[in-house]
């Protein structure tokens, strides 16, 4: 529900997105690509903890997900279950299962239509067990009250996907070390890509809703990216090619409440989301700068001649040494209006959010300069320059229809 509060960061960092195409349930955005429409940010807790929470507190022993039509390379309707065992006070282990509904139905239909098949129904299902059931394992160890280590393995004996994450809370900072084999990424078109080995070190400041913040990240990809289903002829994203990428950003954010009220709430009724319980009208603005360095094949995106694919930033690059430096500014302005307290089970939340993004300051200045020249020389304004100064606008309307109590 608060997707638009972090979407600006998504243009700078490879944040996790919810992605039902694999058991781990998350994917990172391809560097330099905006957030694909229809995808939201993955939760900060691990997939085993998500499922365990739904089993315990939401009366959902089986959690469904949908990963596209199988005829188009998707996985169809899936059911998930996790069983967690606490081995010690600071150590837990989880077994995850994923059941492929549409594959199971296809096997049943094929067996029913084949009248010459002499194999019994249980043997037929057992023969295709690896096709309809995927297994995963995870373990989490709390090293200290502020440190945790997570190791996960998914699609065992099939895709053999793995991930290791070390998270440490520093004073007013979060430090994360992550390795994934393969690493799953999603581009702006919603196409998924596997990188054989992806490693990252991420340091982010923790600030209030308004104020100064900064973010540091070091990313390393090894191996050629491979297409994860869909069109095999798609061009590989150049930012996923092998190499190192270091980025740093600093930004300042200001939130302003134009109107907010706490009246109209039902007494002794817990809101479905305490952050969405106050009707309000608010505005926010973000301004910042980002700089980075790339070493390796991933720097090729700065050498392409096609202007539609080349990153329009202030940059210095050396094709011979496979090295590039870039820097740019960014800004975002958003407006939010909410009606309702999100306490009642029907029609108690209406929320409108409008956001204007200026993802590249250099592109904006370049376009403004070209338009100024056109007006000065009484020429017709260039359409490309007009597009360069126009912000990316996102409009989101959220309406509660019905909520059921667990």
């Amino acid at each position: 529900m608060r997707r638009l509060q972090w979407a600006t960061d998504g243009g700078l960092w490879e944040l996790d997105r919810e992605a039902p195409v694999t058991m781990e349930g998350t994917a990172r955005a391809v560097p330099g690509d905006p957030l694909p429409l229809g995808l939201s940010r993955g939760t900060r807790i691990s997939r085993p903890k998500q499922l365990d929470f739904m089993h315990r507190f939401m009366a959902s022993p089986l959690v469904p997900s949908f990963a596209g039509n199988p005829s188009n390379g998707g996985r169809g309707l899936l059911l998930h279950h996790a069983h967690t065992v606490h081995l010690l006070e600071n150590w837990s282990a989880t077994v995850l299962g994923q059941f492929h509904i549409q594959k199971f139905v296809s096997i049943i239909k094929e067996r029913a239509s084949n009248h010459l098949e002499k194999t019994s129904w249980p043997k037929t299902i057992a023969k295709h067990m690896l096709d309809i059931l995927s297994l995963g394992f995870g373990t989490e160890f709390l090293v200290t009250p502020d440190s945790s280590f997570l190791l996960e393995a998914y699609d065992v004996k099939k895709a053999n996907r793995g991930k290791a994450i070390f998270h440490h809370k520093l004073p007013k900072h979060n430090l994360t070390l992550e390795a994934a084999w393969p690493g799953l990424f999603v581009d702006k078109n919603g196409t998924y890509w596997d990188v054989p080995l992806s490693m990252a070190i991420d340091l982010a400041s923790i600030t209030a809703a308004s104020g100064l913040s900064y973010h540091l990240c070091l990313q390393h990809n090894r191996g050629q990216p491979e297409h994860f289903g869909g069109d095999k002829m798609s061009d590989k994203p150049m930012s996923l090619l092998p190499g190192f990428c270091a980025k740093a950003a600093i930004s300042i954010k200001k939130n302003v409440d134009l109107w907010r009220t706490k009246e109209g709430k039902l007494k002794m009724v817990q809101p479905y989301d305490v952050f969405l319980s106050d009707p309000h009208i608010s505005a926010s603005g973000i301004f910042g700068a980002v700089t980075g360095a790339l070493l390796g094949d991933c720097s090729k995106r700065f050498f392409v001649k096609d202007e539609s694919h080349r990153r329009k930033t202030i940059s210095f690059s050396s094709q011979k040494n496979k090295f590039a430096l870039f820097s740019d500014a960014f800004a975002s302005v958003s407006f939010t209006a909410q009606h309702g307290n999100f306490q009642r089970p029907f029609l108690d939340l209406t929320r409108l959010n409008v956001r204007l993004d200026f993802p590249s300051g250099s592109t904006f200045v370049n376009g403004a300069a070209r338009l100024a020249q056109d007006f000065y020389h009484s020429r017709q304004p260039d359409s490309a320059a007009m597009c360069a100064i126009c912000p990316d606008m996102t409009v989101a309307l959220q309406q509660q229809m019905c909520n059921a109590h667990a």
Side-chain angles (χ1 to χ4, degrees):
M1 300 291 286
R2 298 182 296 278
R3 170 178 177 264
L4 297 177
Q5 296 182 7
W6 53 262
T8 300
D9 286 340
L12 302 173
W13 308 105
E14 294 70 74
L15 299 173
D16 287 344
R17 280 31 170 180
E18 295 174 3
V21 295
T22 60
M23 288 188 70
E24 61 260 44
T26 58
R28 285 198 161 197
V30 170
D33 278 6
L35 176 69
L37 294 177
L39 293 185
S40 57
R41 185 181 185 181
T43 179
R44 292 180 182 272
I45 64 175
S46 63
R47 183 64 168 173
K49 283 188 174 181
Q50 292 180 48
L51 296 174
D52 185 62
F53 177 85
M54 293 181 181
H55 299 338
R56 292 174 180 268
F57 303 106
M58 300 183 68
S60 302
L62 296 175
V63 180
S65 69
F66 184 76
N69 195 322
S71 61
N72 295 327
R75 307 181 75 183
L77 182 63
L78 308 168
L79 294 177
H80 304 264
H81 180 78
H83 181 69
T84 301
V85 178
H86 294 275
L87 305 175
L88 296 174
E89 184 178 353
N90 61 340
W91 186 20
S92 63
T94 304
V95 179
L96 299 97
Q98 184 184 74
F99 188 75
H100 300 251
I101 296 293
Q102 289 178 256
K103 286 186 179 180
F104 178 73
V105 172
S106 298
I107 292 172
I108 295 299
K109 288 182 177 179
E110 183 180 352
R111 172 64 177 81
S113 61
N114 190 356
H115 301 289
L116 301 178
E117 180 66 49
K118 296 182 179 180
T119 307
S120 62
W121 283 97
K123 289 184 178 180
T124 300
I125 295 176
K127 179 181 177 182
H128 295 89
M129 186 58 68
L130 289 178
D131 295 327
I132 62 177
L133 184 64
S134 299
L135 293 177
F137 303 94
T139 181
E140 185 170 13
F141 182 73
L142 298 178
V143 184
T144 69
D146 295 324
S147 303
S148 64
F149 177 74
L150 175 67
L151 182 64
E152 298 174 331
Y154 298 101
D155 286 334
V156 179
K157 290 189 177 181
K158 289 194 289 187
N160 289 327
R161 311 181 68 90
K163 181 182 292 186
I165 302 174
F166 176 77
H167 181 75
H168 181 65
K169 293 182 179 180
L170 297 168
K172 296 184 179 181
H173 292 80
N174 276 331
L175 175 65
T176 304
L177 286 74
E178 180 177 335
W181 56 94
L184 184 66
F185 292 82
V186 57
D187 63 22
K188 61 184 177 182
N189 299 317
T191 304
Y192 291 92
W193 298 89
D194 269 338
V195 175
L197 177 62
S198 179
M199 297 181 288
I201 301 176
D202 191 282
L203 178 65
S205 61
I206 302 175
T207 59
S210 297
L212 188 69
S213 64
Y214 56 89
H215 202 147
L216 308 173
C217 181
L218 177 62
Q219 176 83 32
H220 172 56
N221 290 335
R222 179 180 296 178
Q224 294 294 322
E226 298 179 359
H227 198 283
F228 187 91
D231 184 11
K232 303 295 183 180
M233 302 302 293
S234 299
D235 294 332
K236 296 180 180 180
M238 286 179 286
S239 55
L240 293 183
L241 295 176
F244 289 89
C245 177
K247 288 191 290 187
I250 186 170
S251 65
I252 185 169
K253 181 177 181 179
K254 181 64 176 179
N255 290 334
V256 179
D257 276 340
L258 305 177
W259 171 79
R260 183 179 292 269
T261 180
K262 295 183 178 294
E263 299 179 358
K265 292 185 179 180
L266 299 176
K267 296 182 178 180
M268 306 302 291
V269 177
Q270 182 71 20
Y272 293 100
D273 189 331
V274 68
F275 295 103
L276 298 174
S277 61
D278 296 335
H280 66 276
I281 299 175
S282 63
S284 66
I286 299 175
F287 178 79
V290 59
T291 185
L294 298 95
L295 179 63
D297 293 339
C298 58
S299 63
K300 289 183 179 179
R301 57 178 168 162
F302 289 91
F303 310 134
V304 295
K305 296 181 180 180
D306 187 351
E307 288 290 332
S308 64
H309 291 86
R310 187 161 63 88
R311 187 185 180 99
K312 296 176 176 63
T313 60
I314 301 173
S315 62
F316 167 79
S317 58
S318 172
Q319 188 170 4
K320 179 180 178 181
N321 298 318
K322 296 183 178 181
F323 177 75
L325 290 172
F326 69 90
S327 61
D328 209 345
F330 59 91
S332 179
V333 179
S334 65
F335 171 84
T336 303
Q338 175 181 318
H339 174 72
N341 302 103
F342 207 26
Q343 290 179 300
R344 298 170 178 84
F346 302 99
L347 305 177
D348 194 29
L349 176 68
T350 303
R351 185 178 174 91
L352 174 68
N353 187 289
V354 180
R355 193 181 80 248
L356 302 177
D357 289 329
F358 299 87
S360 174
S362 59
T363 300
F364 179 86
V365 171
N366 181 268
R370 290 165 60 187
L371 284 179
Q373 290 180 353
D374 290 339
F375 285 120
Y376 180 78
H377 295 288
S378 300
R379 296 193 301 251
Q380 184 176 357
D382 182 34
S383 59
M386 291 289 293
C387 293
I389 67 170
C390 292
D392 298 331
M393 185 173 71
T394 302
V395 180
L397 176 63
Q398 300 166 347
Q399 175 63 59
Q400 177 203 16
M401 302 302 295
C402 175
N403 280 77
H405 293 277

